[in-house]
Every structure is written in C-alpha cells, then in structure tokens.
Amino acid sequence: MGEPFQTGLAKITNTFAPMIESQLMNNGVNMDQYSKQCVINAISAINTVLDGKGITWSDEQLDRNNITEILLRVASLKLNASASPKEVFFQLRNVKIKVGDKDIWKKQIEMGIEGDGNDAILANFGRNVSKVYPYWLVREHDQFVYPKFRGVEYEPPEWSPTGQGEVIRIVYPILHTDKTLHYYISERADVVKNLIAHMNNNMMNETFGVCQDRFKATTDQKKQIAVKKSEVLKRAKELGLGALDEPDLQQYISPAWSEYQSRESMLIRKMRNNIVKKIPKDFGSAFVEMLHDDVIDPDYAEVRREINENANTELIDIPDSTATQPLKEETYTSTSESKSPPGDEDISGDDPQIESNDEVLF
C-alpha cells in the first residue's frame, strides 16, 4: 500500500512543523496545539505570497534560512495569520547576502505584526495583565474627559461617543492582575513621529540627484545626501500630518499612508501600536523575548546582526594610488549599507529595484 497523497503545501508543512517544535523544545518552550495551528496558517499565508510572485519553495532565489526563524516567531508569540482582523502579515523583499567575498541578492520573506497581533501578544504576555478590554476610538466630536489623579486616588476617563469626526485618540482599558483598571491613551498628533520614521526609511536609497547609486557615493556625496534628507524630514516635521497632502513629500510616503481610503486605517493602527508596544511584557523565556524584539524593533535587530557579523572588523576606503594630492584623513565606510533597501520585491533583473517600505497585506 502506497503512501497517502499529500499536496505540495502539506509536504512543506510536514517539513517545517517538526523542525519548529524541536527547536522550541530545545530552548525550553513548549509548543501547544494553538502554536502548531499558527505555524500551519503562517506556512499557508507565506505560500500565498510566494505564489503571487511566481516563486516556489524550492526556487534558488528564495532564502529559506529566515523562514524557519519567522515560523519560530509565529509559534512562540502565538500569532495567527488566519485570524480576522489580521494579526501578522508577510511580504517578499530583495536582500543582499554576503557569500564568501561576494554579495548576492536573494528573495527573502519578512514578517510584520498587525495591530491585532500586538493586542494578542499583550493579552498573552503582558506583565500583570489580566484582561485587555476593547479599545475606545475617541473621535473629534466626542465628549472626552481625561483621567485624573488626586494623590494616590485615580479618576478614570469619561467618554460619550458621537461617531462623528476623525479618530483623535485611542484608549485601552486594561485590567491588571491586582484588579486595578488602567487606561492607556495614544494621541493622533503623536503619529507624526511614526510618519517621520517611515519617510526616513523610504529615503534610504534616495540620492536627490547627487549621484546615481548611494552604494557608490563618495564621502562628500554622502554628506550632501544627508543634508538634503534632513531638510525633507524637517519640513515634514513642521507640517505634521499635513505632510501627507504635500505632493513633493508624497514621493517618500507609501500609498497606505497618503491615500485617502487607507490613511485613516493606518493612523489608527499606528496609534494602537504606540500604546500596546510600550506596555511591559513578560515572555517567560529569553529566547521568546529575543524573537519578539527582532520583529518589534527591526532597527535594533539589524544593529545586533551587524555587530555579530562585523565585530572587530573595519572597512576602510583606500585612496586612489594615482591621486596627486595626499589624503588628509582616513575615510571609513559604514557597513550598514550592506542590506538591501526595504520594500516589496521585484524579481526581474539582476539589479534590485528600490521599493517603498509599505506594509503589504495579504
């Protein structure tokens, strides 16, 4: 009697699932039934992303090393890719990887956590968190009174919703294990910081016409680019969320932020994230905490990877031996440019495209 028929996706699942469970157990983390279901749902969602780009799991362009890491995060943080609203999303990027002395470009799956995913993490791992109540969407025409302290006595906020106007703040009522109820508030105006960070990320490869390729820019050209970038960000900061309507700034802002139909959802998601991410978590495992930090703070993860990869090494620009004037000072090249520009991927051609950093939902 032959083996039962399995679809390609079932074979992929049977390959990854035991490996994920084994690695979690080796790090002292038990994988329950829900975590297993999260892994299966994540594999299915990743498969959808790959199918959409015409890439197979066995494609040589695909970097499969980080898929295991992503599935470990999904399982340990209990993020369900099939939940509605979404808790986690996946996208494909071009990433430069050093193999020996050569840099090669690979297609790499990356994951991000949606607003409801952060809520799920807070409910599962929030320190002293007993219950996360549904959050309040406070609109500009609502009646709202901020909470107040009288010594150690605490007066909760008051809210009379009207359903009119834009969402100007979000309130998370959270019951702690000591039975106290806390109200965490995020303001719409504070999302400007998120927008500035988003624009700064999208301008990673911007040269402002100073040179054609930032990877080949000279030190002086890098300084000119930095000045131009600082001017753009300063103007955006002065305009606040009004920057979303400025045509000359929209080229550095992804459509998910600037387009009218998706803008409000993006602002609400950022307000929610700004609250939930700040509430302390207790993962009960250093391994799970590390996986959480990598996906919540990719900049920190990137710095840590660079330190691990480049510890005790230093790249130095060697002056041209044909130059007639001696170089007055040594010039150092940052290795932070070794990673490809973030953005949705384009598989055509050898030279990767510069893409936006928009979060792509599946």
Side-chain angles (χ1 to χ4, degrees), residues 295-310:
V295 71
I296 288 294
D297 191 347
D299 293 335
Y300 168 75
E302 177 64 20
V303 169
R304 189 171 61 190
R305 275 196 293 272
E306 286 187 19
I307 292 174
N308 292 335
E309 293 172 1
N310 302 297

Side-chain angles (χ1 to χ4, degrees), residues 26 32 53 59 83 111-112 177 179 182 291 298 304 310 353:
N26 290 339
D32 58 22
K53 298 294 184 182
D59 198 309
M111 70 166 282
T177 53
K179 305 301 181 185
H182 292 247
L291 295 176
R304 189 171 61 190
N310 302 297
Q353 301 292 315

Side-chain angles (χ1 to χ4, degrees), residues 200-262:
N200 187 43
N201 199 21
N202 275 0
M203 289 194 293
M204 184 179 295
N205 288 302
E206 181 59 58
T207 62
F208 302 98
V210 174
C211 60
Q212 291 186 341
D213 187 343
R214 78 175 178 96
F215 293 101
K216 298 177 182 176
T218 64
T219 302
D220 287 340
Q221 288 172 332
K222 290 179 180 178
K223 290 180 179 177
Q224 294 178 45
I225 293 171
V227 171
K228 295 279 188 182
K229 185 183 295 186
S230 176
E231 291 174 353
V232 171
L233 295 178
K234 181 181 179 182
R235 181 157 181 264
K237 186 177 181 180
E238 291 171 350
L239 291 171
L241 294 181
L244 297 172
D245 295 317
E246 286 297 307
D248 57 329
L249 296 181
Q250 286 180 344
Q251 59 182 313
Y252 309 117
I253 303 172
S254 71
W257 278 86
S258 58
E259 296 293 336
Y260 178 77
Q261 66 273 14
S262 58

Side-chain angles (χ1 to χ4, degrees), residues 167-184:
V167 176
I168 56 174
R169 69 182 58 87
I170 289 180
V171 180
Y172 267 79
I174 295 178
L175 181 64
H176 285 225
T177 53
D178 61 359
K179 305 301 181 185
T180 56
L181 196 55
H182 292 247
Y183 297 85
Y184 297 85

Side-chain angles (χ1 to χ4, degrees), residues 153-168:
E153 300 295 328
Y154 179 78
E155 296 182 6
E158 298 177 5
W159 177 43
S160 299
T162 63
Q164 300 177 5
E166 296 178 333
V167 176
I168 56 174

Side-chain angles (χ1 to χ4, degrees), residues 16 20 46 50 57 61-74 90-93 95 97 106-111 291 305 339:
F16 277 102
I20 299 303
I46 292 172
L50 295 178
W57 288 82
Q61 298 179 93
L62 179 64
D63 179 13
R64 287 180 290 277
N65 294 328
N66 81 316
I67 292 181
T68 301
E69 185 178 350
I70 286 175
L71 296 178
L72 282 170
R73 293 173 186 165
V74 167
F90 304 97
Q91 61 188 11
L92 202 58
R93 290 183 187 270
V95 177
I97 298 176
K106 303 283 282 187
K107 314 299 178 188
Q108 194 174 77
I109 289 288
E110 292 189 355
M111 70 166 282
L291 295 176
R305 275 196 293 272
K339 192 174 186 296

Side-chain angles (χ1 to χ4, degrees), residues 14 19 41 65 73 84 90 118 121 129 136 142 198 204 214-215 227 270 299 313 324-325 346 362:
N14 292 336
M19 184 179 5
N41 293 341
N65 294 328
R73 293 173 186 165
S84 180
F90 304 97
N118 286 314
I121 292 174
V129 170
W136 302 354
D142 293 352
H198 167 75
M204 184 179 295
R214 78 175 178 96
F215 293 101
V227 171
K270 292 301 178 183
D299 293 335
T313 64
T324 55
Q325 298 297 326
D346 186 337
F362 53 83

